[in-house]
Amino acid sequence: MPDPTMPGQSHPVLITLREVMRRTALSRSTIYALMAIGAFPRPVRVGTHAVRWMADEIDAWIRTRPRAGGR
């Protein structure tokens, strides 16, 4: 939902690791391995033991992936 105090701005949507895995079809270990080499968006800490990813960053990462068939 947009913030009425910031015209044209919306709140970032934070998603769980499970949702990141669903959207990307990557395993947990692959996601963390890609993060370790700087090839995947890093999560945002939302609590002492909780992290979430910004949905728009995950969607942008997906758009950078090459299409199947090399085209």
Side-chain angles (χ1 to χ4, degrees), residues 24-60:
T24 63
L26 298 174
S27 69
R28 177 189 187 280
S29 59
T30 299
I31 290 168
Y32 279 95
L34 289 171
M35 285 188 333
I37 61 170
F40 195 82
R42 299 196 61 82
V44 176
R45 184 159 300 284
V46 295
T48 307
H49 299 287
V51 296
R52 300 291 185 270
W53 280 258
M54 294 182 67
D56 61 340
E57 289 182 1
I58 299 304
D59 293 340

Side-chain angles (χ1 to χ4, degrees), residues 1-2 6-7 14-16 19-21 23 30 34 38 40 42 48 56 58 60 64-66 68:
M1 174 168 276
M6 306 241 349
L14 300 175
I15 58 176
T16 63
E19 178 64 12
V20 172
M21 292 167 58
R23 288 185 185 204
T30 299
L34 289 171
F40 195 82
R42 299 196 61 82
T48 307
D56 61 340
I58 299 304
T64 68
R65 307 314 307 152

